[in-house]
Amino acid sequence: LTHIKIPEGLQKLPGPKPLPIIGNVLEVGNNPHLSLTAMSKCYGPVFQIQIGMRPVVVLSGNDVIRQALLKQGEEFAGRPDLYSTKFISDGKSLAFSTDQVGVWRARRKLALSALRTFSTVQGESSEYSCALEEHISKEGLYLIERLHNVMKADGSFDPFRHIVVSVANVICGICFGRRYSHDDDELVSLVNMSDEFGKIVGSGNPADFIPFLRILPSMSMKKFMDINDRFSKLVKKIVNEHYNNFNKDNIRDITDSLINHCEDRKLDENSNVQVSDEKIVGIVNDLFGAGFDTISTALSWGVVYLVAYPEIQERLQRELMEKIGMDRTPRLSDRTDLPFLEAFILEIFRHSSFLPFTIPHCTSKDTSLNGYFIPKDTCVFVNQWQVNHDPELWKDPSSFNPDRFLSADGTVLNKMEGEKVLVFGLGKRRCIGESIGRAEVFLFLAILLQRLKFSGMPGEMLDMTPECGVELSRMRTAQRRRWSPRAFGESS
Ligand code: HEM
């Protein structure tokens, strides 16, 4: 690092002194969102740490993050070449791989258009405004039935475990045109293992940063490879079935539309970017993977906040009863009529910041930020948690208060405040599932809240300490077993 030549007029990045081999891993510790936020107070919004042998630039603060990801978007749009990401989707992932810019851009465009088409397309029944609404409504109602049964049998439930299957079914419907039973062993074990995935991607895996650790046997790395392997196998099986009964005149789902794209492209000899069939059809791997884990985590946090703040839960239910009542299931178009629920969701995103960092970025050429020189191929962490808890942006950031997103009389959502919450990233790498994600969190919560009341198990303390990986922070596993839903109206 010392031999990097800094161009004239630019400065060397500030940051803590690294130890040999391990770098700053001790200072970063197990809660990187907190330790890196603390460091930003000391070194400013652009600083450098060393994780193992790899230098990493950490960005904080609304202005600097916008400057990098929006104004200098092209220079910060790469992904670092990390050891663990080679195992995600056979190294062919859209979100994690180090594809060349042209290839990534072509795949991202395809993924976006496929998602848009298959979520807004008309569903099977005209009762629903679109296929997405139909999938979520049906899965929401199944989930309620499921929770009733689990409550009867066990007296309490683990929200993530059940929610994740319902959410996985929504994205399965869009990607593969099918749903699974909550008792399906293959799907249930797979989606419930996604915990391990979250712990390892990003800087969760020391072997990404300290090369010699790669040759040591690591339990979690083995599990990680195993999950990715099983995940890919499941998707491959479904994709093969689609190839076998593919009919160009009846495009049923995203997988069909991607296969169709490969066929069309073979006819189009002028296409200027070469993307293999495997990489095109492989997009479903990313959509399926990204499509259930994030949303189920958001919803599980939602349940935890409902239990922690019963007065907020009551107010949400009053709003639902006044605007919708019990005669029909909530719909996506109810969003504008339920500003308190919208504010509650924004506050879940902000307060939990359950994706405290974006997926790591990487500089695509030599660049500079705030007067500091950043060489090409530098790994960059974007600290979303810091922005969501920055006292410069938020009054009393540590308190959970949905009202911060409402007008003074509590009737209108303040969109400008909402846009300050950073959970989907920004710019060229911004999440492509954002509108589906927001829609799903809204509709699942509305459906659950209309019919269930959530409360903690009597006598148990609520511990909201998240379990942390850089990519995903989750409730501690034990904490997930405590919430008990009751039919709305039943006394707790
Ligand atoms: C990327 C958040 C739902 C697909 C991302 C990133 C974040 C994020 C933080 C990384 C941005 C960056 O690197 O700067 C979320 C949250 C969700 C959600 C909070 C739900 C509440 C979804 C869904 C899908 C999806 C439902 C697909 C159906 C993707 C993909 C990328 C991505 C493909 C990679 C984009 C790229 O690298 O170009 N998401 N996501 N996400 N997300 Fe989401």
Side-chain angles (χ1 to χ4, degrees), residues 135-187:
H135 288 304
I136 304 169
S137 302
K138 289 184 173 164
E139 293 304 328
L141 298 176
Y142 282 123
L143 178 61
I144 288 176
E145 204 182 299
R146 178 84 192 167
L147 293 181
H148 275 308
N149 292 340
V150 173
M151 283 301 289
K152 257 192 227 138
D154 305 343
S156 67
F157 82 105
D158 160 358
F160 186 81
R161 212 192 118 68
H162 300 284
I163 288 171
V164 72
V165 183
S166 305
V167 174
N169 266 334
V170 172
I171 194 73
C172 262
I174 295 172
C175 287
F176 307 127
R178 65 157 79 169
R179 72 177 296 271
Y180 287 86
S181 144
H182 279 245
D183 302 312
D184 186 286
D185 289 343
E186 197 177 16
L187 186 76

Side-chain angles (χ1 to χ4, degrees), residues 64-92:
V64 157
I65 291 176
R66 281 174 188 272
Q67 175 68 31
L69 301 187
L70 297 174
K71 301 215 176 94
Q72 294 171 231
E74 207 67 67
E75 292 145 42
F76 285 89
R79 293 284 187 221
D81 190 2
L82 298 179
Y83 176 67
S84 59
T85 57
K86 289 191 182 48
F87 301 105
I88 304 174
S89 306
D90 293 334
K92 297 191 184 67

